[in-house]
Amino acid sequence: MPDRPRTFLDYFYHWESAKPDAAYLRQPEGRRWRSYTWRQTGDEARRIAAALQDLGLGPQDRIGLISKNCAHWIIADLAIKIAGCVSVPVYPTLNADQLRQVLEHSGCKALFIGKLDSLDAVRGGVPEGILRIALPLCQDAEMLRWETLLTRYLPIAQPYRPVLTDLESIVYTSGTTAEPKGVMKTYAQTSAGIGSVLEVTRLDRIRRGRFFSYLPLNHDAERALVEGGSLINGGTVYFAESIATFAANLRAARPTIFLAVPRIWTRFRMGVLERIPQERLERLIRLPLLGALVKRRIRKALGLNDLKLAISGAAPIAAETIAWFKSLGVIICEGYGMTENSAICTINPPEAIRIGTVGKPYPGCELRIDPETQEILMRAPWVMEGYYRNPELTAQTLRGGWLHTGDMGEWTDEGYLRITGRVKDMFKTSKGEYIIPGPMERMFSSNTLIEQVCIAGYGQPQPFALVNLSDTARHLSMAEVSASLRATLEAVNAAVADYERINKVVVTETLWTVDNGLMTPTLKVRRNAIDARYRLRMEAWYNQGEDPVIWE
């Protein structure tokens, strides 16, 4: 155990020495799985680190990483750190202009390029002079190949011990705005929250830890739980090969530690209900002996039968979804965090979850609610250093020693935090009333026929609910779906103030996806993009007949 706080690299060196022949990373290749032991992972990472140094990359030089999730994403990230450089991971969905923007803003001198749907962004978005290194799953023979470097260099013998004040990573929260936000994280900050997380999750005590990686690894929650969590736990990371193989890969992995965004939990639920209607399921699970068998079979079919820690984050999850999984024996701990605080802010303790909240602050985390704006303010030793090359935005976000999160919240009587919305998500109707979309969106999401919902209506007399339907709804008639949406609308409107009452539910024809820019890579709705897409049609919808459900 080092005298200073333990970094993720320290954990890696420990497992590399303690159990060199145990499987650390497992990459699917069709029906086969390729395993990388801790020894093999260390050998490749150290060889690549030696290559980076020989190729002219020095201490604290920035090195980018663009790839879908795979074993070599983590190996490359380790290699960057072992070389003493700064890791700059980016979303694999960036287009050429967005990628160029991030690479130029961060000053990257090299870029690891891995598994991508298309290399167009790389070919058009990498500035001249940046060294390009192809990971094994990159289909480009013209770049400098990872495999070539492995044969050309010997591993670095002496373990690199980072200076705690050095930058470990710059994480870009958005490559799609006029000015990218690069969150700077030092080794001291990324290691500061480890003990706090372990105190609540007991991640280090979960035996035979198995992680399943499919959310973008450059996203802080996935990176922290999968890469960071596996380094702490000493467990094995399994990867999803593609969307088509996701379910089979998950069943093979049988994760014990699993993070999912709300849309994934909803899709799991919808998949079950397509096979077993809710009323029949409720009858079955109430039976003393058969009920336990049914619940176990459903968990096994999903690949979730061995779960010890299940977490939902990145966006609010419907209370009904958490309750539904709890009825099957899956306890989902909803948490709350952001890149600026290493995704460590609050979490529901596994033994005392409170549905409808995001839990209690982690030990060492201080929270308060601004009495005027209801904004959540946070401070902890692991809060970011600031935004790279953006002192003005840093000063706006870190004021008076507090991180201004941009989220709005309130406390329950038991000291649990409830998120009520985003400060910037509020919009004003033509009546001059402010609408906070979050609470109403959560009420709509209780309808299993709705997969995504966005409350909009800036400048209109009353707000609208724009919805994408779930796969379950597509098996029903338009009349059946409309009747269900009307019932939900009535229930929501009965629970809100008059000025908040939803005027129309609009079933949109276009599915909101990452590819068309209406969802983020972590499957959150891009509210501004959706509002811009539909705003000009809202006045006509508002005046369109008496039926409150409109089909685009």
Side-chain angles (χ1 to χ4, degrees), residues 9 12 24 41 45 74-83 227 231:
L9 266 184
F12 175 72
Y24 174 37
T41 300
I74 290 180
I75 301 176
D77 199 36
L78 289 168
I80 292 169
K81 296 172 185 177
I82 291 173
E227 183 181 19
L231 292 173

Side-chain angles (χ1 to χ4, degrees), residues 297-361:
R297 284 185 174 177
I298 291 174
R299 295 196 305 265
K300 185 176 181 180
L302 292 173
L304 305 179
N305 200 39
D306 294 345
L307 278 182
K308 303 298 182 185
L309 179 64
I311 296 176
S312 182
I317 184 173
E320 291 80 1
T321 301
I322 296 182
W324 187 86
F325 275 97
K326 186 178 180 181
S327 73
L328 296 178
V330 176
I331 305 301
I332 298 175
C333 302
E334 185 175 10
Y336 164 66
M338 55 199 300
T339 307
E340 287 82 349
N341 57 29
S342 297
I344 305 171
C345 190
T346 68
I347 193 169
N348 269 280
E351 70 282 356
I353 67 167
R354 295 295 182 268
I355 296 175
T357 78
V358 292
K360 292 185 173 183

Side-chain angles (χ1 to χ4, degrees), residues 521-541:
T522 52
L523 306 181
K524 289 184 286 188
V525 167
R526 288 193 187 277
R527 191 177 302 278
N528 290 343
I530 289 175
D531 184 72
R533 184 184 185 98
Y534 298 106
R535 179 178 294 181
L536 295 178
R537 303 179 62 185
M538 289 182 184
E539 185 174 353
W541 285 338

